[in-house]
Amino acid sequence: MSSTSANAFVPSDEIRARFSSAMSEMYRDEVPQYGTLIELVADINQRTLQAEPELLARMQRSGELARLGVERHGAIRVGTAAELSMLRRLFAIMGMEPVGYYDLSVAGVPVHSTAFRPVSDAALLANPFRVFTSLLRLDLIADEALRAQAAAILARRNIFTERALALIAQSEANGGLTDAEADEFVGEALETFRWHSESTVDGATYDALHKAHRLIADVVCFKGPHINHLTPRTLDIDAAQAAMPARGMDAKDVVEGPPRRACPILLRQTSFKALKETVRFAGDATGAGSHTARFGEIEQRGVALTRKGRALYDQLLAQVRDMGSAGSAAPDYGSRLAQVFEAFPDTHEQLRRQDLAFYRFTLSDEGAALAAGEAAAAAASDLDALIARGLAQAEPIVYEDFLPVSAAGIFQSNLGGEEQKQYAAHAAQQAFEADLGARVHDEIALYEQAQQRSIDQLRSALRTQAAQAVA
Ligand code: OOG
Ligand code: NI
């Protein structure tokens, strides 16, 4: 490739931004209630920022304010290894790589999943769009004949357009896509995620698969992996949850994840429940059936936790669940959650000093103005000392990933009812990666590296300052 044509390629961040906005537009058309949710979240974010000038200032500093409005994730479910690995290639064109492994079988959902997302600091800041992607585990269907039938149905479909496949291959060969090709690619990729109200199977087949698990019917009976929700980021999920019914939304009973805190950690999520939609089954010209799959979700993101912090989170959450159910049948869930999580430190100072959460360290204005000798000494001193002296500051690194227990709660509430299937829980990460055709990134390692990079940059800036002043 000559450098001139390479220069004409559209950056992957830009393709991702175009794709995520096209997806959002398509979903708003398909599911008007999602548009209402977006408006609600925008209102609440604006009010929160007005009420919390400190939050506003911090988000401005970190560059996060600019991405707040485009902040979202989506989710899809596929049926075969071939579909999953082609999706990996499709998302790679948009700078999205598989991060994390989520075993949902523990929660009675016969899938395992990863999230395709940008990984570098700059790419995340440019546009953080992620797609939670689940692969159906046919091996968890007990009925052998039904399992074979599902596999045969899946083997017959092709979820990608010819042109999308050609553009993926072309981008891989050439190292990118031109402006016109990128637009074409976005349009073609979108086709894969579109809703199809016509099922590829007859009503009896749908019913049989549905009976095995609603999710199996959702994956197997349609032409493609329709996007099943999109998720804007809210700065106050409790306010958004409370405001949903007034805007006509049937909100999920509980907010998933940690309780409300002064220092938000990880991820809190809630959704409006999936809508019942009309579908037509193959060979059935007269009657129309229905299918429930698509919903809208909101998320509030907090600081990413270290392995130690995550272990504490998992332990406390398990404790809350051991005390009773997490569903609508448990009106005391919120208070149990709040009570147990009192054991999780709730100032950024404590979270950082106890090595529970990740931070991005930057020089303060004072730090950047240090004279040569002082800069040299500062470069060698430890971070706590620099922070105590006001020479450096620690900004929370936002958690960009998902939580398996929360994801299970989101799945469950949108599968209708309190359906609980028992599967022998066994994570199958290696099998998943073989199907994907790649290893998934270890999400915690990514945060560790981001924190370390910020420390290296801070020290190197101080050293440069020391050297320059001497010269
Ligand atoms: C995915 C549910 C998981 C989340 O935000 O945790 C998810 C699905 O229902 O396909 O999106
Ligand atoms: Ni989601």
Side-chain angles (χ1 to χ4, degrees):
M1 266 336 320
S2 73
S3 61
T4 39
S5 58
N7 286 341
F9 291 149
V10 180
S12 54
D13 289 349
E14 168 64 26
I15 304 179
R16 181 172 67 262
R18 287 183 199 178
F19 177 74
S20 99
S21 99
M23 189 87 121
S24 178
E25 216 168 287
M26 178 175 86
Y27 201 59
R28 247 181 273 196
D29 269 359
E30 290 182 348
V31 182
Q33 206 166 56
Y34 175 65
T36 311
L37 185 64
I38 295 263
E39 284 162 22
L40 169 67
V41 165
D43 288 352
I44 286 178
N45 287 353
Q46 198 190 0
R47 254 185 279 150
T48 308
L49 289 169
Q50 264 165 9
E52 296 182 41
E54 218 172 281
L55 178 66
L56 175 64
R58 200 177 70 217
M59 292 193 70
Q60 263 162 345
R61 261 201 320 272
S62 62
E64 260 186 73
L65 194 63
R67 75 173 199 170
L68 181 62
V70 297
E71 182 85 4
R72 51 174 73 88
H73 79 253
I76 54 172
R77 308 151 180 173
V78 295
T80 68
E83 291 173 354
L84 182 66
S85 66
M86 186 56 74
L87 278 176
R88 172 178 56 77
R89 292 168 60 189
L90 179 145
F91 285 128
I93 292 175
M94 303 187 241
M96 297 157 80
E97 297 173 29
V99 179
Y101 172 76
Y102 304 91
D103 173 24
L104 277 307
S105 69
V106 285
V109 182
V111 302
H112 48 182
S113 321
T114 190
F116 289 98
R117 70 160 174 89
V119 293
S120 77
D121 295 347
L124 281 164
L125 216 48
N127 182 299
F129 188 62
R130 331 157 176 79
V131 179
F132 190 91
T133 302
S134 300
L135 176 65
L136 182 62
R137 290 177 70 177
L138 285 179
D139 57 302
L140 296 178
I141 302 185
D143 180 337
E144 213 169 294
L146 193 64
R147 194 189 323 147
Q149 190 187 8
I153 297 168
L154 287 168
R156 283 200 295 270
R157 74 178 187 182
N158 179 3
I159 65 171
F160 304 97
T161 68
E162 295 268 332
R163 188 63 189 141
L165 295 175
L167 285 166
I168 291 169
Q170 185 187 323
S171 175
E172 287 172 348
N174 297 354
L177 297 174
T178 64
D179 190 57
E181 287 163 356
D183 280 338
E184 204 192 348
F185 169 77
V186 166
E188 295 288 331
L190 213 56
E191 290 305 311
T192 295
F193 307 108
R194 193 178 284 291
W195 171 247
H196 300 278
S197 58
E198 281 174 26
S199 173
T200 55
V201 305
D202 59 34
T205 306
Y206 176 91
D207 288 342
L209 291 166
H210 192 274
K211 227 172 107 203
H213 198 294
R214 299 170 75 108
L215 197 80
I216 299 173
D218 183 58
V219 176
V220 176
C221 301
F222 294 90
K223 199 167 153 233
H226 38 260
I227 180 90
N228 67 51
H229 67 280
L230 282 178
T231 309
R233 177 175 170 188
T234 173
L235 297 173
D236 187 344
I237 200 164
D238 300 294
Q241 167 92 342
M244 268 203 252
R247 301 219 193 178
M249 285 174 259
D250 181 14
K252 186 179 172 309
D253 300 310
V254 297
V255 174
E256 298 289 341
R260 186 180 185 90
R261 299 160 43 91
C263 302
I265 54 171
L266 297 172
L267 174 64
R268 300 181 71 209
Q269 296 159 279
T270 185
S271 62
F272 67 74
K273 290 189 192 155
L275 309 170
K276 193 167 173 180
E277 296 172 284
T278 305
V279 294
R280 204 164 55 233
F281 295 109
D284 186 358
T286 48
S290 70
H291 181 66
T292 309
R294 303 190 304 158
F295 59 99
E297 188 192 11
I298 50 178
E299 61 181 26
Q300 181 171 5
R301 292 189 174 265
V303 67
L305 299 185
T306 61
R307 289 184 208 283
K308 182 182 168 196
R310 181 54 190 268
L312 179 59
Y313 172 79
D314 287 338
Q315 181 206 318
L316 295 180
L317 195 66
Q319 206 173 310
V320 178
R321 296 187 155 242
D322 284 348
M323 289 159 73
S325 141
S328 53
D332 66 330
Y333 179 71
S335 56
R336 268 188 275 140
L337 186 70
Q339 184 206 325
V340 168
F341 269 80
E342 274 168 26
F344 209 114
D346 197 16
T347 68
H348 282 300
E349 168 93 12
Q350 286 172 310
L351 291 171
R352 182 174 57 75
R353 284 176 161 268
Q354 293 178 37
D355 197 24
L356 292 168
F358 289 113
Y359 292 86
R360 197 169 272 119
F361 297 92
T362 53
L363 276 184
S364 66
D365 293 344
E366 292 82 352
L370 281 183
E374 283 179 77
S381 65
D382 76 35
L383 283 170
D384 286 339
L386 294 180
I387 290 170
R389 290 173 56 203
L391 301 176
Q393 59 226 353
E395 305 287 354
I397 296 182
V398 176
Y399 187 63
E400 306 286 353
D401 294 288
F402 295 87
L403 298 168
V405 173
S406 297
I410 295 284
F411 266 107
Q412 294 296 1
S413 73
N414 287 290
L415 292 173
E418 296 295 304
E419 175 168 15
Q420 273 291 355
K421 287 256 156 55
Q422 294 304 322
Y423 294 110
H426 66 288
Q429 183 165 350
Q430 278 185 353
F432 182 83
E433 290 177 330
D435 287 348
L436 178 68
R439 302 287 304 275
V440 299
H441 290 279
D442 170 356
E443 68 277 19
I444 297 190
L446 293 175
Y447 299 115
E448 240 155 31
Q449 289 157 15
Q451 175 171 284
Q452 191 55 49
R453 266 196 309 276
S454 79
I455 297 172
D456 294 345
Q457 273 161 15
L458 180 146
R459 293 203 190 284
S460 125
L462 283 170
R463 280 194 299 270
T464 307
Q465 240 166 278
Q468 268 171 357
V470 168

